[in-house]
Amino acid sequence: MSQLQTLTITRPDDWHLHLRDGDALTDTVAWTAAQFSRAIVMPNLRPPVASTAQALAYRERILAARPAGSAFEPLMTLYLTDTTPPAEIERARASGAVHAVKLYPSGATTNSDSGVTDLARVYPVFEAMQQQGMPLLIHGEVTDPEVDVFDREAVFIERHLLRIRRDFPALKIVLEHITTAQAASFVREQAAVDARGAPLLAATITAHHLLYSRNAMFAGGVRPHYYCLPVLKRERHRQALLDAATGGDARFFLGTDSAPHARALKEAACGCAGCLTAPHALELYAQAFEQRGALHRLEAFASHFGADFYCLPRNTGTLALERVPMAVPECLPYAGGDVVPLGAGQILPWRLASAF
Ligand code: DOR
Ligand code: ZN
């Protein structure tokens, strides 16, 4: 059988992205705008993007950083804190620019110290979100130091997510960057849909969790550029994620969680969590889907299911990939310094041909 040489899909969106702020925006916005039409922008800045006013100001800074002629559209999120007023949800909804609220359990990851310390404190906010149809995006890891770092996602589902789902049955939820077979199963078991027929529970999946197991972090030595949170898991979990992503199930869609940290902050005694994948995101996802002979399923995962979940129109443009080997750069300029992308120095089988 002759191999597919080009793959043209509806232009994709990134449903989980870290753009950072300040000088970094010129680089991060250019990387993402080259591939994606829209992106859900994470609010874990310092200070966090906790109000609608802050989200609107951040949105302006992102728009100002777009390359000339780019129509890239940032979809803003709010950072949930113990003191978020329920009335903020109405303001967020009315702005038309805020599309979701992000729950970071306090201490779970980068810039999460303003996150939620006790879910009971934010129940009035969940109530308002359920009423307004505002999605809750969850970093699903417990922070209990007694729980093994590799078990934190599965334990979060048991201890917290089941209860949130039970107490707010009509709340739209995205379990972000899932990493385990347990998370994929949990999402599959939830069949409920909203009034518009969209799923009430979905999950994003990163390219790095589809391509790498935890072995990649320890191949011949410690490899800080493969360290992210939730941390990479065993091979059998990676296989479960590939099943989910390539299975044609509308509850699983693309979210890169591209999260750049300057090289010096990764290559350190206490390196930051995060993998940079935005500059070659679709190339990585194509490589993963091809492992399953499922390139024909990439378009729905990357370009349809996320928009459908958020009740936004699908994009009209296209993106083309071609089967031409591409070397991932060893490093890229970033905010006056440099950053090492995921898979630096490796050859990927697909490269971006064009995006319109
Ligand atoms: O690896 C990660 N990096 N996981 C997160 O949850 C946050 C992110 C970041 O902002 O660097
Ligand atoms: Zn993230």
Side-chain angles (χ1 to χ4, degrees), residues 18 20 44 104 109-110 139 177 228-230 257 259 261 273-275:
H18 298 268
R20 311 306 191 200
N44 61 334
Y104 288 105
T109 187
T110 310
H139 183 111
H177 41 55
C228 64
L229 287 171
D257 197 17
H261 292 276
C275 297

Side-chain angles (χ1 to χ4, degrees), residues 20-330:
R20 311 306 191 200
D21 205 355
D23 287 350
L25 284 177
T26 318
D27 302 309
T28 58
V29 174
W31 290 327
T32 291
Q35 299 209 342
F36 297 99
S37 276
R38 298 169 290 198
I40 285 278
V41 180
M42 288 298 127
N44 61 334
L45 305 182
R46 264 183 204 283
V49 181
S51 70
T52 305
Q54 285 171 311
L56 292 176
Y58 184 30
R59 181 171 178 273
E60 290 305 318
R61 298 196 294 280
I62 296 167
L63 292 176
R66 290 186 300 186
S70 168
F72 171 69
E73 195 187 340
L75 308 173
M76 309 312 293
T77 61
L78 293 189
Y79 186 118
L80 189 61
T81 72
D82 282 351
T83 55
T84 301
E88 194 62 48
I89 301 307
E90 211 167 314
R91 282 192 284 277
R93 176 52 86 213
S95 76
V98 175
H99 292 263
V101 174
K102 178 72 186 274
L103 165 64
Y104 288 105
S106 181
T109 187
T110 310
N111 295 349
S112 64
D113 26 301
S114 310
V116 174
T117 59
D118 177 359
L119 284 172
R121 290 177 194 250
V122 292
Y123 262 38
V125 185
F126 288 171
E127 189 63 55
M129 291 171 65
Q130 181 169 252
Q131 265 170 29
Q132 300 275 330
M134 177 68 80
L136 174 67
L137 314 184
I138 300 183
H139 183 111
E141 288 193 287
V142 291
T143 53
D144 182 348
E146 299 286 304
V147 177
D148 190 281
V149 67
F150 292 99
D151 297 333
R152 287 182 186 173
E153 182 175 278
V155 174
F156 182 91
I157 293 169
E158 286 163 22
R159 282 194 196 164
H160 303 298
L161 188 54
L162 277 162
R163 189 172 313 166
I164 299 174
R165 180 72 299 169
R166 187 196 65 205
D167 293 346
F168 299 94
L171 179 63
K172 284 185 77 109
I173 298 176
V174 183
L175 190 51
E176 298 287 338
H177 41 55
I178 59 167
T179 62
T180 57
Q182 291 94 321
S185 303
F186 181 78
V187 172
R188 271 208 200 85
E189 284 159 13
Q190 311 282 321
V193 294
D194 66 13
R196 300 156 89 163
L200 278 168
L201 179 76
T204 52
I205 306 182
T206 77
H208 41 291
H209 291 102
L210 290 175
L211 284 169
Y212 296 104
S213 74
R214 64 194 194 179
N215 282 2
M217 278 188 301
F218 307 110
V222 68
R223 304 260 177 188
H225 299 292
Y226 291 85
Y227 172 58
C228 64
L229 287 171
V231 72
L232 296 171
K233 303 294 192 302
R234 284 178 181 278
E235 177 64 13
R236 77 175 170 86
H237 293 292
R238 186 179 84 88
Q239 293 298 333
L241 298 179
L242 277 169
D243 289 344
T246 64
D249 184 326
R251 290 168 293 184
F252 300 102
F253 47 82
L254 184 156
T256 62
D257 197 17
S258 181
H261 292 276
R263 175 201 285 270
L265 297 176
K266 295 281 293 174
E267 298 175 5
C270 184
C272 294
C275 297
L276 173 65
T277 54
H280 47 292
L282 262 295
E283 293 90 329
L284 293 169
Y285 279 107
Q287 183 182 19
F289 272 61
E290 190 157 49
Q291 287 184 4
R292 285 295 178 88
L295 283 170
H296 60 292
R297 291 268 169 82
L298 181 60
E299 179 176 43
F301 174 82
S303 315
H304 296 165
F305 296 156
D308 298 350
F309 175 86
Y310 280 92
C311 299
L312 292 169
R314 294 178 182 179
N315 296 321
T316 50
T318 61
L319 173 142
L321 294 162
E322 56 190 357
R323 190 186 294 283
V324 174
M326 184 200 84
V328 178
E330 294 288 352

